[in-house]
Amino acid sequence: MSTKAIQKDFEQLKEFVTGYELPQEGNVEYFQNLKRTHKVYFSILELHSVCKSLESLKSNSNSTFGKYLGESISELGSSLFISLHGCYKGSEQILRSAIENFLKAIGSTVHPNIVSIKSTYEVIDKAEDADVFQTKEIKDKYSKLKGMYSTLCASVHTATESNMQNVGALGYFPHFDSKSSTLFMNKYIEVARSILDILCWKYKLEYLQVHYKSKDIIDVSLSGNIKAIIYSDLN
């Protein structure tokens, strides 16, 4: 084996890493897409922070619900971060995992052994038994997540050529493709907003006590119909 060839390739890798730059500020469409997704993810981070301060979670932070909810929200962040570099296929794979872990968290409230179930589709089906999904408006959000999970499976399993992202070299990244970026962002926002809606509904009674500054951050990304019903119930 030629160690010189390895060293030469490493030097090229080092040059790539040190020179790596995301799209410049002048790429208006790139930052428009980023702004759309950042808004809803920031709302989720704020809500998660609020949820962690609730007594029901504070006293049981190591519960299955708490751990898998945290992991799901972390994966939403990872999915968004990777998409910034143009790795849309990888972003969709992580987004799919975020759905799985979120529904595992919700499902654990009625099926404590849900983490031992091997079939992801069985996990998703069992999650539907949770109290929060017994209201029509929120069951619709569950259906959206379930449908999006199936859609994202096509990316994970490369169902068609459209699910491929052929990368021949590290120099391919960072990369911005207008169509791929928009498609991913739309999926991301649908998933993230559904999670936000479900969590707000789950804790809607406690939501009355949330500081107005937190409400302002969260409300801006809530679905209009869910926000209207929550505030109607609180009043």
Side-chain angles (χ1 to χ4, degrees), residues 27-38 185:
N27 193 326
V28 176
E29 188 175 3
Y30 174 89
F31 285 101
Q32 284 176 337
N33 278 343
L34 176 57
K35 186 175 182 179
R36 291 170 60 213
T37 48
H38 166 263
M185 297 302 182

Side-chain angles (χ1 to χ4, degrees), residues 101-211:
N101 283 320
F102 177 72
L103 291 177
K104 194 172 287 184
I106 296 293
S108 71
T109 62
V110 286
H111 298 292
N113 67 335
I114 199 167
V115 295
S116 65
I117 298 174
K118 303 301 181 185
S119 167
T120 300
Y121 281 103
E122 186 178 351
V123 167
I124 292 173
D125 287 342
K126 284 189 173 295
E128 189 177 6
D129 296 335
D131 293 343
V132 70
F133 293 137
Q134 302 316 303
T135 303
K136 179 187 180 300
E137 290 79 7
I138 299 300
K139 182 165 280 193
D140 287 346
K141 302 299 177 181
Y142 162 82
S143 297
K144 277 192 174 184
L145 287 180
K146 185 175 181 179
M148 187 56 71
Y149 181 87
S150 296
T151 298
L152 292 169
C153 278
S155 177
V156 173
H157 300 299
T158 315
T160 67
E161 288 186 16
S162 65
N163 301 122
M164 297 178 181
Q165 186 175 15
N166 292 302
V167 178
L170 282 174
Y172 176 85
F173 296 112
H175 172 74
F176 176 71
D177 178 78
S178 177
K179 182 179 178 181
S180 297
S181 176
T182 299
L183 287 172
F184 169 74
M185 297 302 182
N186 289 341
K187 293 172 187 174
Y188 184 93
I189 289 170
E190 181 172 326
V191 169
R193 181 166 287 146
S194 294
I195 288 175
L196 186 73
D197 290 341
I198 292 165
L199 282 178
C200 275
W201 190 278
K202 179 174 175 59
Y203 292 110
K204 62 180 178 177
L205 297 180
E206 291 87 352
Y207 202 64
L208 182 62
Q209 308 302 322
V210 171
H211 193 279

